[in-house]
Amino acid sequence: MFWKPSFARLLSRINTLRARASLNHYASFQSLRRPDFAITSIFDPGSYNFISVVHSSTRKTGSDVLDKIDERHELLKRTVAAFDEFARQEGLENRAERDHSTRAFRIPTEVYIQIFEWLRCHYRFRIKDAMSVSHVSRRWRDVALGTPTLWTRISTIRKELIEVFLIRSKTAPLEIIFWTKSKIEGEPDIGPALSDFLAPLLPHLFRWGSLSMSRVEPHFLAPHLLSPAPQLRALTLSRHEWQRDDCHELLSATPFIGGLPCLRELSLAGVFFSPSSPLYAGLTKLHFRHVSFSVTLLSLLLRTLSESSPRLEELHFYWKFLDYYGAPSWGVSGQILIGQTQNPFPLPSLREIVIKGAIAAVARWILSSIYPSPSVRLEISTAVGNDEGLRGVLPSYSDVLNTLPFLSSIDHLHVLGPSYPHRELLSLHGKAGGIQLLTIHFTPNPYTKSNYPDARRDILRSIGGTQTYFPSLEGLTFCDITTRQFHPGGLTQVIANMPRVDQLAFHSCSRSLVEALTINGTQKPFPHMTSLHIHRSFITAETLIKLVKSRVNVDDVHIDSWTALQESNFRAACIDSCASLDTLILSQCDKIDTSTVAVLKKLVRDVQWDDSRHIGS
């Protein structure tokens, strides 16, 4: 092996040093017995050898003897320190040789660079991570200093560190982040702090890749950003301590005079620039937070996006105050706006629309005013009032075919009960082929005195009405729905026109809702249901068997095992026009046991039971 000769030489050197140290130690000991001369051993760090020095002297007493003793002690301490330095250097060389023999040292530099770049792209990356990587070893430090992208994130106000990162990042695009602490948020302090932060960065404005300014007033920022930023791709501006009145303030001044040719992502919080601003040109992502729009401003904005941002993929609106402040200009019910909507503005690349905190009128107006991609994903959190269901949020049936054609492809709908009583009505989650396309959260509108059960009934009725938004709906799942939120008797009345629904699931719902599926002479809910999934229910075995018997074909059932059951009564209970239940899935149902499942398996072709109990039982 290549390390054996070096190890042998090191071992020979150590033995030689030990022998010389023993000889010199003996000579020094003898010098104590003969005061006329002394032999002192001194360790030479340059040659790593001991040098013997002979001191001749005459017999002296008193202070001279004490001086000699002190001198020998000082020489001994220097010798020990020199040997410690020698041992340290040998240890470093030994560690370097060991590192060179490991597999990690033989990893190519390109692999290290890819690892460091992946670390830099992680969402939890911090400045201290780059510093830590460069302090692991000499090899890591060399690779880290040769990876400019590792030093492009600048989110500190320490000038010396900013200059270090600017040097190490070389010509790579920079990610600038400025966040002020509460103690310097006041107007007298934020100006100097911002100036000190931007001073070393402004000469490198030509390679800014992204800029995020939080809690900074725009009038503090505008005087500094007067030059163009040709590489800036993402801009985030958050107003300092915004209030309700600030949500309506229109800023005419635009930063980066000269244009932002590469700007693709824009996020504004409490700040709204004029719709004619060049900031909106060429965007792919546009996010608004805490900005209340009037009808005129929002219409101008959508027109600008349609003309100058044809590749826009994400459009987000988030109102902190549910747009109550601007509700009078929109109309609470939304009926005022329906006649004011014009031809929708085409946004052919728009794949995601998020509207949170808006009243139903605002959400409906936005959806009626744009023509997005056919595969757009819709997420809405809205407040509804009296007699407002999906019709109060989504466009009219004639408009929805043009603006939101993806609704017709949704094949499964999840209906979620309220997570917070008296704060949320219902939530809808629609999927097509397993892909989430629709999310709507309904909340009560404070302007109206809605009866919660009536509001929920209106929402559910709009799902399965005569003119349904979901003509391709095949599966329906109810989650966390109780009798307090929805009366079992209204299940048939609410969802009366859903001819294609054949898969039904109840997750953590009231037992009465599951029992309402039983077919009798007066009602036949979900006549085409062939699959039923019951999860976490307290339904009894007797009730479940009765429900299943009413939904199976009597000709395919062997009923000789139930002595108490009359064949004539069973035939009378069945409805010939209903589909036969084919699949039954039971999970975490307390009152279902092995004997019940044995009976059900003689009724239904496929019965799945996990033999588990309710988590709360």
Side-chain angles (χ1 to χ4, degrees):
M1 298 295 290
F2 65 90
W3 53 268
K4 288 185 178 180
S6 60
F7 179 77
R9 288 196 299 271
L10 178 62
L11 185 61
S12 176
R13 177 73 61 81
I14 293 176
N15 292 333
T16 303
L17 293 177
R18 287 178 177 175
R20 291 182 180 179
S22 300
L23 178 61
N24 292 328
H25 175 71
Y26 176 77
S28 300
F29 176 75
Q30 293 296 331
S31 66
L32 297 177
R33 303 177 60 183
R34 299 181 58 185
D36 54 334
F37 71 94
I39 302 177
T40 305
S41 298
I42 302 176
F43 185 79
D44 183 13
S47 60
Y48 298 109
N49 292 321
F50 287 93
I51 302 176
S52 299
V53 181
V54 180
H55 303 274
S56 60
S57 61
T58 58
R59 184 182 299 273
K60 295 183 180 180
T61 60
S63 60
D64 293 339
V65 175
L66 296 177
D67 293 340
K68 289 294 184 180
I69 294 175
D70 294 338
E71 182 180 356
R72 285 195 298 272
H73 181 68
E74 292 296 329
L75 289 173
L76 179 61
K77 291 197 300 182
R78 289 196 295 269
T79 303
V80 171
F83 187 80
D84 290 342
E85 178 64 20
F86 166 74
R88 190 183 70 83
Q89 293 292 339
E90 289 291 336
L92 293 177
E93 294 180 2
N94 182 38
R95 180 180 176 182
E97 291 182 2
R98 290 177 60 88
D99 292 342
H100 280 69
S101 63
T102 59
R103 294 181 179 179
F105 189 86
R106 294 194 295 269
I107 294 178
T109 303
E110 294 78 6
V111 176
Y112 275 113
I113 294 176
Q114 292 182 2
I115 294 175
F116 292 163
E117 290 179 347
W118 175 86
L119 175 66
R120 171 62 182 82
C121 296
H122 198 270
Y123 72 97
R124 299 184 64 180
F125 178 82
R126 297 295 182 269
I127 286 180
K128 63 179 181 180
D129 297 332
M131 304 297 292
S132 300
V133 165
S134 63
H135 292 167
V136 173
S137 65
R138 293 180 181 178
R139 173 74 184 282
W140 281 42
R141 182 174 180 81
D142 294 339
V143 177
L145 295 182
T147 308
T149 55
L150 191 64
W151 309 95
T152 55
R153 183 185 181 97
I154 300 178
S155 59
T156 178
I157 58 176
R158 294 176 55 185
K159 186 176 180 180
E160 58 275 12
L161 281 181
I162 293 178
E163 295 176 349
V164 170
F165 275 62
L166 289 175
I167 295 175
R168 294 181 178 179
S169 60
K170 298 180 181 178
T171 60
L174 301 175
E175 180 183 353
I176 313 298
I177 301 175
F178 182 76
W179 181 81
T180 60
K181 298 181 180 179
S182 57
K183 64 180 181 180
I184 62 172
E185 286 180 359
E187 183 172 343
D189 298 325
I190 186 62
L194 183 62
S195 300
D196 294 341
F197 176 76
L198 293 177
L201 296 173
L202 289 177
H204 300 266
L205 185 61
F206 64 93
R207 63 187 185 102
W208 285 16
S210 66
L211 174 63
S212 178
M213 290 286 178
S214 178
R215 300 182 181 180
V216 176
E217 292 290 340
H219 66 271
F220 286 125
L221 186 62
H224 299 281
L225 305 179
L226 301 178
S227 302
Q231 296 192 52
L232 192 67
R233 295 187 58 87
L235 176 61
T236 301
L237 297 179
S238 177
R239 191 183 184 91
H240 159 64
E241 293 184 353
W242 53 268
Q243 302 294 331
R244 283 188 182 221
D245 296 337
D246 298 335
C247 298
H248 300 268
E249 182 178 352
L250 183 64
L251 300 178
S252 57
T254 302
F256 302 103
I257 299 175
L260 297 169
C262 294
L263 187 63
R264 297 295 178 264
E265 302 177 12
L266 179 61
S267 178
L268 302 177
V271 180
F272 180 60
F273 294 96
S274 172
S276 60
S277 173
L279 292 177
Y280 301 112
L283 296 178
T284 58
K285 297 180 181 180
L286 179 58
H287 298 179
F288 289 104
R289 295 178 63 88
H290 320 309
V291 179
S292 294
F293 294 92
S294 64
V295 179
T296 303
L297 284 179
L298 189 53
S299 179
L300 292 175
L301 175 65
L302 295 179
R303 180 186 298 275
T304 300
L305 296 177
S306 176
E307 296 175 353
S308 61
S309 299
R311 297 183 180 180
L312 187 67
E313 299 178 359
E314 295 182 10
L315 183 59
H316 292 193
F317 297 95
Y318 175 80
W319 283 269
K320 175 66 175 178
F321 305 108
L322 295 175
D323 204 41
Y324 298 153
Y325 188 87
S329 64
W330 288 95
V332 175
S333 65
Q335 297 179 356
I336 300 176
L337 298 179
I338 300 305
Q340 298 177 359
T341 56
Q342 48 190 342
N343 294 330
F345 301 107
L347 293 171
S349 301
L350 192 59
R351 301 183 181 275
E352 182 176 280
I353 304 175
V354 177
I355 306 173
K356 293 185 177 182
I359 60 176
V362 177
R364 186 178 186 183
W365 192 91
I366 294 176
L367 297 178
S368 302
S369 301
I370 58 178
Y371 185 77
S373 167
S375 59
V376 65
R377 188 182 72 87
L378 182 62
E379 182 177 354
I380 299 177
S381 178
T382 183
V384 296
N386 294 326
D387 301 327
E388 283 187 336
L390 285 177
R391 297 178 181 88
V393 179
L394 299 178
S396 61
Y397 294 106
S398 58
D399 294 335
V400 75
L401 296 177
N402 297 324
T403 59
L404 301 173
F406 74 97
L407 294 178
S408 61
S409 63
I410 291 179
D411 53 20
H412 202 111
L413 196 65
H414 290 255
V415 183
L416 278 65
S419 302
Y420 303 97
H422 307 295
R423 289 180 55 187
E424 188 177 82
L425 297 176
L426 283 175
S427 298
L428 301 180
H429 296 272
K431 296 182 178 181
I435 301 176
Q436 190 82 12
L437 293 179
L438 175 69
T439 301
I440 302 181
H441 302 286
F442 299 93
T443 56
N445 195 322
Y447 282 121
T448 60
K449 297 181 180 179
S450 302
N451 187 359
Y452 290 171
D454 293 341
R456 297 188 187 97
R457 184 176 64 251
D458 293 336
I459 295 172
L460 292 176
R461 183 184 292 114
S462 60
I463 296 175
T466 55
Q467 291 180 317
T468 178
Y469 289 100
F470 314 107
S472 302
L473 195 63
E474 298 179 354
L476 191 61
T477 300
F478 292 93
C479 301
D480 300 316
I481 305 295
T482 63
T483 54
R484 183 181 60 181
Q485 303 160 4
F486 184 65
H487 193 271
L491 184 62
T492 305
Q493 301 174 0
V494 167
I495 309 174
N497 298 283
M498 305 184 73
R500 300 191 60 179
V501 173
D502 58 1
Q503 302 176 11
L504 198 63
F506 288 90
H507 292 186
S508 303
C509 295
S510 296
R511 180 179 59 186
S512 301
L513 288 176
V514 183
E515 295 175 357
L517 297 177
T518 304
I519 296 179
N520 53 39
T522 59
Q523 63 179 10
K524 48 178 182 179
F526 300 101
H528 299 280
M529 183 185 69
T530 60
S531 176
L532 176 62
H533 182 188
I534 304 175
H535 175 71
R536 297 183 67 173
S537 175
F538 291 98
I539 189 170
T540 62
E542 181 181 359
T543 303
L544 181 59
I545 292 176
K546 181 181 178 181
L547 186 158
V548 172
K549 289 177 181 178
S550 69
R551 307 193 71 97
V552 296
N553 191 344
V554 67
D555 295 334
D556 298 334
V557 176
H558 302 285
I559 62 174
D560 53 351
S561 59
W562 302 290
T563 58
L565 179 64
Q566 298 293 331
E567 181 177 353
S568 59
N569 296 335
F570 183 65
R571 287 181 180 275
C574 292
I575 305 298
D576 295 336
S577 61
C578 294
S580 180
L581 185 63
D582 184 71
T583 303
L584 178 62
I585 304 174
L586 303 173
S587 57
Q588 297 187 19
C589 296
D590 281 356
K591 300 182 179 181
I592 304 301
D593 53 15
T594 305
S595 60
T596 305
V597 175
V599 175
L600 294 174
K601 286 186 177 180
K602 295 182 179 180
L603 289 169
V604 183
R605 182 189 64 83
D606 183 14
V607 178
Q608 303 176 24
W609 179 53
D610 62 354
D611 192 15
S612 61
R613 297 296 180 182
H614 193 288
I615 191 172
S617 61

